Amino acid sequence: MSHVSLKNLKKSYDGKTDVLAGINLEIEDGEFVVLVGPSGCGKSTLLRMLSGLEAISGGDLEIDHARVNDLPPAQRGIAMVFQSYALYPHMNVYKNMAFGLKIHGASKDEIDRRIKHAASILKIDHLLTRLPRELSGGQRQRVAIGRAIVREPKLFLFDEPLSNLDAALRVQTRLEIAKLHRDLNATIVYVTHDQVEAMTLGDKIVVMHDGHIQQAGTPLELYQRPANLFVATFIGSPKMNLLEGVVAEASATELSVTLAGGQLLKAEVDASRATVGDRVTVGIRAEHLWENNEGSERFTGTVNLVEHLGEANYLYVTLSTGQDIVVRGNGEREVELGQTLNMSAPAASFHVFDRDGQAFHRLKPGNLRSSKG
Amino acid sequence: MQHKATRYAGSAFTHVILAGYSILALFPIVLIAINAFKDRASIFDSPLSLPNSESWSLIGFEKAMKNAHFFSFFGNSMIVTVTSLFFILLFGAMAAWALSEYKFRGSRWLLAFFAFGIMVPIRLGTVSILQIMVSLNLVNTLTALVLVYIAQGLPLAIMILSEFMQQLPKELKEAARCDGVGEFKIFFQVILPLIRPAVATVAVFTMVPIWNDLWFPLILAPGEETQTITLGVQQFIGQYATDWNAVLASLSLAVLPVLVLYMFFSRQLIRGITAGAVK
Ligand SMILES: Nc1ncnc2c1ncn2[C@@H]1O[C@H](COP(=O)(O)OP(=O)(O)O)[C@@H](O)[C@H]1O
Ligand SMILES: [Mg+2]
């Protein structure tokens, strides 16, 4: 069992500016939590506070309901995997994994058993006598993970473990980490700046920005109901399209917005707290704009760039109002540059954010695929 | 073509300079070594010629070895050099680790204090050092020499080693801390093995001046029992007659131990450098 609870955790390096301004988070046993956010938002700092490498400036950190604020890393029952792997360069793979165990006084047989077990899970059995410098990047990464596994920690901490790998290896290792999580039933906190990594790995994703948690939830929740503009644009690729507008009519079931070009747009959101005349931002994802007239809300524009992905293509379109948006189109249909494109979207697909960037609750998120298209 | 020619000329020039310097530096040493194997007459008749069947003689070595104290001089030098070296490296590395890893009040001042020690020669303090040694009853002991040499060697050792330690990735120490490794174990089992080339460098730079020093042995430990080899050799240089055979032979012998130590450390040094380069 391991349950981690962060209560109003704060960090300040200089005593004046808060790098982390009161983080609240519950991590359940066996949960895979991904901390994601742009570079410099405090993810690593938070992870290092969990590990005990960085002092906690305020608030409480509890592991299994015991306050561990002032415990050194070794006594917290954590294991950390660093972005740079941090393998001991002068020890071979076996010794790298055995080092921490020996310190804790495990018997030779026990150490051997654990290392063999971890090595077979990670398929590094044949590398045990090599030095780190004789390994490839991917192999080093496995050894670093192996070193964490043999400790049998309550909590695994990963700090951007894949960022030093090339793209193909990254995808493969990502799958293996997911599998490892399932097989070991481990509790994991994983830091990344890559939203795709976050979406694919996390049971729970915590989006951070400027030392605050912007939103925490399942991947689908974040995708369907981003709490604010930051999360909306951070999660999902390509970035959500944003259109400025003014509230024309507001109710608990529908919001009408006058867009910049004068077009009236209806969105199915709970707008009971909106007042007519408020500035709002309307968001629509590329995949929810269809190249047909099935949706209730219509747009017209000219195609000025096409990105082919094979099964789909992204069409970069300039609307008649001069606004640039991205549309996901059928990849096997030819599109010509300069061609006029008619698009539509259902009213349920829109996200609307108030002037502070907070989202209005969407009423019917979910299956919005066009039947054609 | 033009390029290649200038590059060759450049490298030839470098090599000429280096070779010239080497010849200059080696000349007196070679002169001592070849004359150590000649009889007294040949040393003065033709000092530059190599020993031949006529002039060949081991008389100098025989005389030197017959001297009752010759081996104890050697032993003294060995003890003083190795002990000083050991403590300079140990304390130097520990201080460097403390100064580079832990930020505490006054750490900057302490670093400046050690830097000061590099700039000011310890010989300036000879009089006070002698007074201290007298009051501690350490005159004519090897301990006195060892203490002075440790003080003399520490500043440079700390500077060089802390520079190297700062370059070690922070994550290594953090990984060890997560592994539950204590600070002393981190120092001895992670940090020290990784800065071995730096330690070897410091060892080489520190060892030679200690071995060669004449000043402090003369002032602090001139007694028969505690003379080092550099001081002991002076016995053969008399006020009226100098036994050149013995002087040259013992000087040649005195080079050997330090040469062996140097080769031991320089192997480490080069291995360390190449290991770093391949990575
Ligand atoms: N040791 C430190 N001293 C002072 N500021 C730091 C230190 N480490 C990180 N910071 C600051 O804290 C903020 C968060 O850093 P970090 O947690 O590393 O971000 P992330 O991992 O999300 O990229 C950054 O603005 C960074 O400049
Ligand atoms: Mg980071």
Side-chain angles (χ1 to χ4, degrees):
Chain A
M1 264 305 286
S2 48
H3 175 97
V4 184
S5 157
L6 290 68
K7 293 182 177 148
N8 203 23
L9 271 196
K10 284 186 180 152
K11 179 68 190 180
S12 167
Y13 283 104
D14 54 6
K16 279 173 260 160
T17 47
D18 280 344
V19 171
L20 293 174
I23 300 290
N24 288 294
L25 187 65
E26 299 290 322
I27 299 167
E28 305 299 334
D29 185 45
E31 199 171 26
F32 197 132
V33 176
V34 179
L35 303 179
V36 65
S39 188
C41 70
K43 312 177 294 286
S44 297
T45 302
L46 183 56
L47 197 74
R48 291 162 54 80
M49 285 162 74
L50 294 183
S51 74
L53 290 169
E54 202 72 70
I56 294 171
S57 312
D60 291 311
L61 173 63
E62 291 174 7
I63 298 181
D64 287 346
H65 309 289
R67 188 171 179 275
V68 298
N69 280 36
D70 304 315
L71 284 189
Q75 289 171 30
R76 294 191 184 185
I78 52 99
M80 186 139 166
V81 177
F82 295 85
Q83 177 179 353
S84 60
Y85 318 134
L87 299 176
Y88 310 120
H90 56 300
M91 299 183 198
N92 68 24
V93 169
Y94 189 95
K95 286 188 182 147
N96 257 285
M97 295 204 260
F99 193 46
L101 293 178
K102 261 191 215 143
I103 302 277
H104 287 274
S107 74
K108 254 199 152 80
D109 294 340
E110 173 69 6
I111 293 176
D112 199 59
R113 187 188 64 74
R114 288 201 198 177
I115 292 180
K116 294 278 156 61
H117 179 64
S120 73
I121 294 178
L122 294 165
K123 303 189 191 73
I124 49 173
D125 316 65
H126 58 296
L127 303 174
L128 289 177
T129 55
R130 296 226 199 142
L131 286 174
R133 67 164 168 270
E134 297 161 346
L135 302 176
S136 70
Q139 291 170 332
R140 285 181 205 182
Q141 185 59 71
R142 283 155 192 271
V143 175
I145 295 174
R147 188 170 64 179
I149 292 178
V150 295
R151 302 262 326 274
E152 297 180 358
K154 288 189 213 167
L155 180 63
F156 284 90
L157 304 173
F158 287 83
D159 194 353
E160 310 219 6
L162 304 186
S163 3
N164 286 354
L165 302 179
D166 64 49
L169 205 52
R170 206 177 305 160
V171 173
Q172 187 195 337
T173 315
R174 196 172 77 199
L175 287 170
E176 281 168 10
I177 290 180
K179 201 158 144 278
L180 203 68
H181 169 240
R182 200 193 58 207
D183 293 348
L184 296 177
N185 199 18
T187 314
I188 297 180
V189 181
Y190 183 108
V191 162
T192 177
H193 63 264
D194 179 8
Q195 57 99 10
V196 178
E197 229 170 275
M199 295 292 277
T200 48
L201 283 173
D203 294 326
K204 176 152 81 195
I205 298 178
V206 178
V207 182
M208 294 178 60
H209 182 47
D210 276 348
H212 292 273
I213 291 184
Q214 300 292 321
Q215 190 175 3
T218 64
L220 204 57
E221 274 167 21
L222 295 196
Y223 177 77
Q224 291 184 335
R225 290 209 164 100
N228 54 42
L229 261 177
F230 179 81
V231 178
T233 50
F234 192 80
I235 299 289
S237 168
K239 246 182 161 158
M240 182 187 283
N241 297 303
L242 299 176
L243 306 167
E244 301 295 326
V246 176
V247 174
E249 217 178 303
S251 77
T253 53
E254 196 175 72
L255 181 67
S256 300
V257 179
T258 315
L259 294 180
Q263 177 180 353
L264 198 69
L265 179 144
K266 284 189 167 54
E268 289 182 10
V269 296
D270 175 0
S272 35
R273 67 189 166 87
T275 42
V276 173
D278 278 355
R279 294 182 153 283
V280 290
T281 306
V282 177
I284 174 93
R285 294 195 188 276
E287 54 271 37
H288 296 153
L289 280 162
W290 305 334
E291 297 171 62
N292 58 33
N293 290 329
E294 277 184 30
S296 57
E297 310 305 311
R298 314 233 160 116
F299 303 93
T300 317
T302 32
V303 179
N304 49 38
L305 189 74
V306 183
E307 270 180 1
H308 296 281
L309 298 184
E311 91 284 6
N313 52 25
Y314 290 118
L315 313 173
Y316 290 78
V317 175
T318 306
L319 295 182
S320 41
T321 56
Q323 174 117 36
D324 291 319
I325 60 167
V326 191
V327 183
R328 184 183 159 108
N330 180 349
E332 293 175 65
R333 199 167 71 78
E334 287 295 327
V335 182
E336 275 169 39
L337 293 189
Q339 150 185 349
T340 302
L341 196 70
N342 292 312
M343 297 154 282
S344 70
S349 69
F350 292 100
H351 302 250
V352 187
F353 305 92
D354 64 21
R355 63 189 306 168
D356 299 322
Q358 299 303 310
F360 292 101
H361 191 74
R362 286 178 75 201
L363 297 172
K364 282 181 275 174
N367 207 352
L368 294 170
R369 294 257 119 216
S370 165
S371 51
K372 288 190 221 153
Chain B
M1 282 291 110
Q2 177 82 41
H3 259 71
K4 237 180 192 165
T6 44
R7 189 141 25 99
Y8 274 125
S11 108
F13 182 70
T14 314
H15 279 92
V16 166
I17 299 263
L18 289 177
Y21 179 78
S22 305
I23 291 168
L24 210 63
L26 282 175
F27 181 71
I29 298 172
V30 171
L31 203 62
I32 288 174
I34 59 178
N35 283 303
F37 293 94
K38 294 199 269 193
D39 58 30
R40 190 177 167 85
S42 319
I43 293 177
F44 286 101
D45 290 347
S46 53
L48 290 180
S49 65
L50 289 171
N52 54 31
S53 54
E54 264 167 57
S55 62
W56 174 266
S57 159
L58 291 176
I59 181 77
F61 292 95
E62 281 164 25
K63 279 191 193 161
M65 307 243 189
K66 259 197 223 125
N67 183 309
H69 298 292
F70 185 75
F71 287 103
S72 90
F73 296 161
F74 247 105
N76 288 341
S77 275
M78 240 7 211
I79 291 171
V80 168
T81 307
V82 171
T83 317
S84 308
L85 200 54
F86 175 79
F87 284 112
I88 289 170
L89 296 180
L90 180 70
F91 293 149
M94 289 172 97
W97 166 248
L99 287 171
S100 60
E101 181 64 16
Y102 310 114
K103 293 293 159 235
F104 52 93
R105 274 173 65 114
S107 64
R108 301 256 313 269
W109 284 107
L110 212 51
L111 202 63
F113 173 71
F114 284 121
F116 192 66
I118 299 179
M119 294 179 270
V120 180
I122 194 167
R123 289 177 189 197
L124 285 184
T126 303
V127 174
S128 350
I129 290 175
L130 184 58
Q131 280 170 348
I132 295 173
M133 292 305 170
V134 168
S135 61
L136 290 175
N137 255 337
L138 285 176
V139 174
N140 271 331
T141 61
L142 296 182
T143 315
L145 291 180
V146 169
L147 288 177
V148 170
Y149 291 143
I150 292 176
Q152 171 186 311
L154 271 181
L156 189 67
I158 291 172
M159 281 300 145
I160 295 180
L161 294 179
S162 65
E163 196 57 40
F164 270 76
M165 283 176 182
Q166 271 161 20
Q167 282 163 19
L168 291 180
K170 185 173 84 174
E171 281 88 4
L172 267 185
K173 307 158 204 168
E174 293 180 339
R177 287 194 183 122
C178 287
D179 266 349
V181 186
E183 295 296 306
F184 269 94
K185 274 229 165 73
I186 294 181
F187 173 70
F188 282 110
Q189 297 191 10
V190 179
I191 304 302
L192 267 194
L194 290 179
I195 57 157
R196 235 173 29 192
V199 172
T201 313
V202 172
V204 167
F205 281 118
T206 324
M207 169 182 75
V208 177
I210 296 178
W211 182 270
N212 288 343
D213 192 32
L214 185 58
W215 181 263
F216 285 112
L218 192 61
I219 290 166
L220 297 178
E224 199 77 313
E225 296 298 308
T226 51
Q227 288 189 10
T228 57
I229 187 71
T230 19
L231 187 55
V233 171
Q234 312 299 315
Q235 288 202 345
F236 301 111
I237 303 177
Q239 196 173 354
Y240 306 107
T242 295
D243 190 342
W244 284 110
N245 292 96
V247 169
L248 294 177
S250 34
L251 283 179
S252 307
L253 287 176
V255 175
L256 290 182
V258 81
L259 205 62
V260 171
L261 275 179
Y262 176 81
M263 277 171 3
F264 169 75
F265 284 123
S266 66
R267 170 101 39 86
Q268 288 283 323
L269 205 148
I270 288 164
R271 194 189 298 161
I273 291 168
T274 47
V278 178
K279 239 188 288 169

